[in-house]
Amino acid sequence: MRLRRLALVCVSVSLVGACGLVPQGGGTERRTVTVWLMKDSASKDFLERFTEEFERTHGDLDLDIRIQEWTGIGEKVQAALETDATGATAGPDVIEVGNTQVPQYVEGGGLLDLTLESLRDWGMRDWLPGLAEPGRQRSTQYGIPWYAANRVVIYRKDLFRQAGIEAPPRTREEWLTATEKLNSAGNQGIYLAGQDWYTLSGFVWDEGGDLAQEDGGTWRGTLDTPAALRGMDFYRRLQALGKGPVDADEEHPPQAGVFAEGRVAQIVAVPGLARAIVQQNPELDGELGFFPVPGKSADRPGAVFTGGSDLVIPNNTDARDGAVAVVEALAGAKWNTELARTMNYVPNKTTLAQAVADEEGVAAMAAGAAQGRATPSTPEWANVEADNPIKEYMTKVLTGADPATEARRASRRITEALAVPFG
């Protein structure tokens, strides 16, 4: 078993190399809460301000915030969760993890049950479902939503004006009609790669379907249900209104570069991609707009895959009360909205969306996040993504194969992958 002897960087403003118990004046013993946060999740200035206020309002606690790299983080977290709390080297008391990673850490029993605090103190009923649901296993809450990001439609305002489209579409049918108008005069109505399975997932969820479902403790692929097939059919109709490659995903080639070339009216992406587009084509500065992925009706946006992070507490922490206090502060309204404004994230609660209403891209993202979902809540889902049959299924359908036949084949492969223990 690997001990918690990890070479990490401590970025606490009040502690320079200090970890463990720090004696203070008057004989009072201060305790240190060690927090692992991921690189670029929060700015240095945000962490400094948070640390200063937290330590001022929690007189017996010091923060030791250590920044982690995403690469290899799974193994580091697993090692930390397995290390006995009596080990000589202090491990993390709070860890930021990707929202869809929580199930794999729950599997080994390494996370603290935070259901009581979530119900009683933290307003879990208002949490974004795409963050909250992956953090919950059999009604027990382990992962506490921190921040979210999801896809929206980035569009060219000038091309919309030229096509006589006065306002962004609010329903799927309006979206198809608008995109067909835009798909003319040498322009692509939308650039949608054939294997963008995250975007497909939203259409499937909108129809009431899912990628996989659990029945009696057994997971099976469900792309072959009527609802999931309707989602794929909408994807096919939309994707045909552009020249996206049917045998590649949105990163091959990177869709920001395709959009920047100037003949694409829309893409489906996170709002932050707009910066990369403008860097490659400065003439588009001021011409990019954002709207939520449209739903089946105008009263609510379409479902979207929600990415982001949850906060978890290891079972082996020896600073439980301090760790809970850190999670409560980071996920609470004050610092959560401050993080959202600073980093252009979606806050963790639907009730906090107003905090980012003045940022067009983030506001569109927040509207979609209210309908957000995540991949099936099982650690074995990582097996599916490792050799993703959904991508192959999409390409087959877009090149004319029978959707029902290919959906059954893909669903069988998903079921097989979910039957193999993760790790």
Side-chain angles (χ1 to χ4, degrees):
M1 184 182 299
R2 192 166 63 170
L3 296 178
R4 297 179 180 183
R5 302 181 184 276
L6 304 174
L8 305 170
V9 180
C10 180
V11 298
S12 170
V13 291
S14 60
L15 301 175
V16 181
C19 297
L21 300 179
V22 184
Q24 300 293 311
T28 300
E29 195 174 66
R30 293 173 63 87
R31 296 183 65 81
T32 293
V33 181
T34 301
V35 182
W36 284 7
L37 299 180
M38 301 309 299
K39 183 180 179 181
D40 298 327
S41 286
S43 67
K44 181 180 179 181
D45 176 67
F46 172 89
L47 294 177
E48 289 175 347
R49 288 184 287 110
F50 174 78
T51 300
E52 180 180 8
E53 178 169 305
F54 184 87
E55 292 183 342
R56 178 173 53 80
T57 56
H58 297 77
D60 60 335
L61 298 175
D62 289 317
L63 285 187
D64 176 9
I65 299 179
R66 303 183 178 197
I67 302 303
Q68 310 295 307
E69 298 282 349
W70 282 109
T71 302
I73 191 59
E75 292 182 1
K76 286 185 178 181
V77 172
Q78 290 288 10
L81 297 180
E82 293 170 3
T83 303
D84 192 285
T86 61
T89 303
D93 302 298
V94 176
I95 309 175
E96 175 196 350
V97 299
N99 60 324
T100 60
Q101 295 175 334
V102 179
Q104 71 190 60
Y105 302 135
V106 172
E107 190 79 356
L111 300 184
L112 194 67
D113 177 355
L114 297 170
T115 309
L116 176 61
E117 291 85 355
S118 300
L119 281 167
R120 184 188 62 195
D121 305 321
W122 297 343
M124 66 183 299
R125 291 178 180 83
D126 295 324
W127 284 341
L128 297 178
L131 295 181
E133 290 171 4
R136 185 181 309 127
Q137 292 286 304
R138 295 178 177 84
S139 302
T140 301
Q141 195 73 40
Y142 298 97
I144 306 306
W146 193 25
Y147 67 83
N150 52 265
R151 289 162 176 76
V152 301
V153 182
I154 304 177
Y155 73 99
R156 287 272 303 272
K157 295 179 180 179
D158 55 338
L159 295 183
F160 268 55
R161 288 192 301 269
Q162 292 171 22
I165 302 171
E166 297 180 357
R170 298 183 60 196
T171 69
R172 280 190 186 179
E173 290 305 315
E174 290 178 1
W175 194 16
L176 286 173
T177 299
T179 304
E180 192 167 5
K181 288 183 179 179
L182 293 160
N183 194 43
S184 61
N187 296 322
Q188 296 186 58
I190 189 168
Y191 179 85
L192 183 59
Q195 296 183 349
D196 186 351
W197 69 278
Y198 285 119
T199 297
L200 169 65
S201 299
F203 301 155
V204 169
W205 292 327
D206 260 353
E207 293 289 349
D210 213 332
L211 308 178
Q213 292 181 335
E214 184 182 19
D215 183 12
T218 300
W219 284 89
R220 64 181 184 86
T222 53
L223 289 175
D224 55 342
T225 63
L229 286 168
R230 289 194 299 270
M232 182 65 224
D233 186 62
F234 179 79
Y235 190 99
R236 178 190 59 78
R237 295 167 65 194
L238 184 66
Q239 198 272 342
L241 298 174
K243 299 177 182 178
V246 297
D247 58 350
D249 62 24
E250 64 276 16
E251 290 301 321
H252 299 91
Q255 61 179 344
V258 178
F259 194 96
E261 290 175 1
R263 304 305 299 269
V264 173
Q266 306 169 89
I267 56 172
V268 180
V270 293
L273 204 65
R275 289 192 294 271
I277 293 168
V278 172
Q279 285 176 351
Q280 295 178 61
N281 186 350
E283 292 182 4
L284 294 180
D285 189 19
E287 290 293 350
L288 300 184
F290 311 85
F291 59 89
V293 172
K296 296 185 70 176
S297 60
D299 58 339
R300 67 178 190 177
V304 288
F305 171 78
T306 302
S309 288
D310 283 10
L311 299 170
V312 299
I313 298 177
N315 251 332
N316 58 20
T317 178
D318 58 359
R320 184 192 188 284
D321 290 347
V324 168
V326 170
V327 171
E328 182 171 31
L330 282 172
K334 176 180 178 178
W335 287 104
N336 198 251
T337 54
E338 182 65 20
L339 180 71
R341 293 192 188 101
T342 301
M343 304 300 295
N344 287 334
Y345 293 146
V346 178
N348 62 3
K349 290 182 177 180
T350 56
T351 51
L352 300 177
Q354 190 60 33
V356 293
D358 56 344
E359 293 286 341
E360 183 184 0
V362 184
M365 194 163 55
Q371 312 302 324
R373 297 277 297 275
T375 50
S377 187
T378 169
E380 281 70 44
W381 186 255
N383 298 331
V384 177
E385 294 194 28
D387 184 25
N388 199 328
I390 305 174
K391 290 185 172 184
E392 183 178 335
Y393 158 64
M394 296 172 72
T395 296
K396 290 285 185 64
V397 173
L398 295 176
T399 52
D402 177 61
T405 300
E406 297 304 328
R408 285 193 295 271
R409 183 177 289 115
S411 294
R412 284 196 299 270
R413 288 180 58 192
I414 291 172
T415 301
E416 291 166 0
L418 293 176
V420 179
F422 172 75

